[in-house]
């Protein structure tokens, strides 16, 4: 039996914003990659071949609604409807979904939950989106990321942009990574056939600054047997991985906080 609490599918690294402290390192990508519809559908088939149950099946970017073809993916997920509890979409509300994407999302009813990172005046589609969600009795969360730093969601952002081994002692990394929110939530991330144990592992690896060790991720398309993959996944959170040595999130509660979404010019 293999389960996870969170599974995040990343449709695109393209974003409408360029946040200086982006936790997913998006402004560092010269040519942000994007997954094709058939690649995401293949990943979804692979995931539900491996997992018996996923609590939250999430779509996370970049800004997912820059993709413009996600209706085909949201509809595809319905064939696995019995095997996940909630469909979650995360957006910065700078851009509305297409009519087809919106229609597909709304068809999920109370199974859908929309997580909106509210960047104040940057989130210019927020009011329109929220009005539609309320009218259709869809659950949503507004994470306030504007105004005084201490008033922001979780007291603001953590700076995780160094992108290098922080050279911390192994016992510190082991202790802190075990308490990391991504670990507690088993928040796996998948992009183009690569399944990582957390977002930082995926994005740093795609950026090429942290080459993961063997078994730090699973290649869904490498032809190895399902049970072998499941065994690697079962051990995902047993010990810290290479990306944990590059990561300030593990310091969680004690890490300094900064105002969210400060926009930077193109590098
Ligand atoms: S790299 Fe390690 S410490 Fe950082 S978010 Fe991922 S699991 Fe947590």
């Amino acid at each position: 039996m293999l389960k996870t609490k969170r599974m995040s599918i990343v449709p695109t690294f393209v974003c409408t914003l360029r946040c200086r402290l982006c936790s997913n390192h998006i402004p560092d990508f010269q040519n942000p990659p994007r997954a094709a519809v058939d690649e995401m559908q293949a990943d979804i088939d692979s995931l539900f071949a491996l997992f018996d149950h996923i609590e939250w099946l999430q779509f996370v970017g970049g800004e997912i609604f820059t993709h413009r073809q996600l209706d085909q993916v949201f509809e595809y997920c319905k064939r696995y409807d019995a095997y996940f509890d909630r469909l979650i979409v995360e957006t910065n509300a700078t851009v509305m979904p297409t009519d087809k994407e919106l229609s597909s999302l709304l068809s999920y009813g109370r199974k859908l939950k929309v997580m909106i990172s509210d960047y104040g005046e940057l989130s210019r589609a927020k009011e329109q989106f929220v009005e539609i969600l309320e009218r259709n009795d869809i659950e949503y969360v507004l994470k306030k990321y504007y105004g005084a730093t201490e008033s922001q969601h979780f007291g603001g952002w953590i700076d995780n942009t160094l992108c290098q081994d922080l050279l911390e002692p192994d016992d510190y990394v082991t202790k802190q990574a075990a308490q990391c929110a991504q670990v507690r939530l088993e928040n796996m991330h998948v992009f183009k056939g690569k399944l990582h144990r957390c977002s930082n592992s995926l994005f740093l690896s795609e950026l090429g600054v942290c080459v993961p060790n063997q078994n730090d991720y699973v290649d869904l398309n490498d032809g190895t047997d399902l049970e072998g993959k499941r065994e690697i996944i079962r051990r995902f959170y047993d010990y810290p991985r290479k990306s944990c040595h590059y990561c300030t999130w593990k310091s969680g509660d004690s890490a300094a906080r900064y105002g969210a979404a400060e926009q930077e010019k193109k590098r």
Side-chain angles (χ1 to χ4, degrees):
M1 194 77 165
L2 186 63
K3 299 178 178 182
T4 190
K5 294 177 185 165
R6 304 284 183 269
M7 179 64 69
S8 297
I9 294 169
V10 181
T12 181
F13 290 32
V14 173
C15 193
T16 47
L17 300 177
R18 294 188 63 80
C19 301
R20 188 175 68 81
L21 297 181
C22 176
S23 59
N24 292 344
H25 318 289
I26 296 296
D28 291 331
F29 286 87
Q30 295 293 320
N31 296 297
R34 173 183 184 277
V37 167
D38 61 342
E39 290 175 313
M40 284 184 273
Q41 291 173 339
D43 286 346
I44 289 162
D45 287 338
S46 300
L47 292 173
F48 285 103
L50 281 167
F51 287 85
D52 299 284
H53 196 80
I54 293 169
E55 288 183 14
W56 286 16
L57 185 63
Q58 313 191 121
F59 286 83
V60 176
E63 170 45 49
I64 65 166
F65 292 129
T66 61
H67 192 283
R68 312 312 274 168
Q69 292 179 304
L70 292 183
D71 50 294
Q72 297 173 57
V73 185
F74 299 146
E75 287 300 305
Y76 197 79
C77 292
K78 288 180 179 172
R79 64 181 62 191
Y80 299 106
D81 185 64
Y83 303 101
F84 65 98
D85 295 332
R86 303 293 304 268
L87 187 84
I88 310 292
V89 294
E90 295 206 5
T91 177
N92 61 22
T94 57
V95 56
M96 284 293 289
T98 65
D99 290 347
K100 284 182 176 175
E101 288 171 333
L102 192 55
S103 168
S104 178
L105 284 173
L106 295 179
S107 71
Y108 276 87
R110 295 295 289 174
K111 187 161 178 153
L112 172 68
K113 184 172 181 177
V114 178
M115 314 281 270
I116 298 175
S117 293
D118 181 2
Y119 298 125
E121 59 187 24
L122 293 171
S123 298
R124 47 198 171 269
K126 178 186 69 178
E127 284 180 18
Q128 184 185 357
F129 202 9
V130 164
E131 190 275 322
I132 292 169
L133 297 175
E134 288 187 347
R135 185 157 32 88
N136 288 277
D137 194 26
I138 301 293
E139 187 180 358
Y140 68 93
V141 173
L142 281 176
K143 295 186 274 185
K144 177 179 179 282
Y145 281 123
Y146 60 89
T149 303
E150 56 278 10
S151 74
Q152 295 184 10
H153 188 67
F154 274 106
W157 280 3
I158 291 172
D159 183 354
N160 189 36
T161 57
L162 207 51
C163 294
Q164 65 185 46
D165 192 331
L166 304 175
L167 302 176
E168 295 160 322
D170 284 347
D171 56 349
Y172 175 79
V173 176
T174 301
K175 178 166 164 276
Q176 293 303 121
Q179 304 166 9
C180 167
Q182 297 260 317
V183 170
R184 290 198 309 267
L185 290 172
E186 302 167 3
N187 193 5
M188 301 178 197
H189 278 61
V190 65
F191 178 69
K192 289 194 177 197
K194 305 286 192 303
L195 174 64
H196 287 256
R197 72 201 284 265
C198 74
S199 57
N200 200 45
S201 178
L202 166 65
F203 287 101
L204 281 181
S205 144
E206 290 293 322
L207 198 53
V209 299
C210 175
V211 179
N213 291 328
Q214 194 178 16
N215 297 347
D216 282 4
Y217 74 98
V218 165
D219 183 341
L220 298 174
N221 304 317
D222 66 2
T224 58
D225 66 287
L226 289 179
E227 201 42 51
K229 288 184 173 66
R230 288 192 190 106
E231 213 33 57
I232 295 171
I233 294 166
R234 283 190 190 101
R235 301 206 61 208
F236 259 177
Y237 303 112
D238 282 2
Y239 59 93
R241 304 307 173 103
K242 192 166 175 187
S243 55
C244 300
H245 293 265
Y246 287 60
C247 183
T248 53
W249 286 355
K250 64 182 176 297
S251 301
D253 295 342
S254 61
R257 300 282 164 159
Y258 302 88
E262 180 190 332
Q263 296 302 288
E264 61 175 26
K265 301 220 166 27
K266 208 164 178 66
R267 292 171 198 168

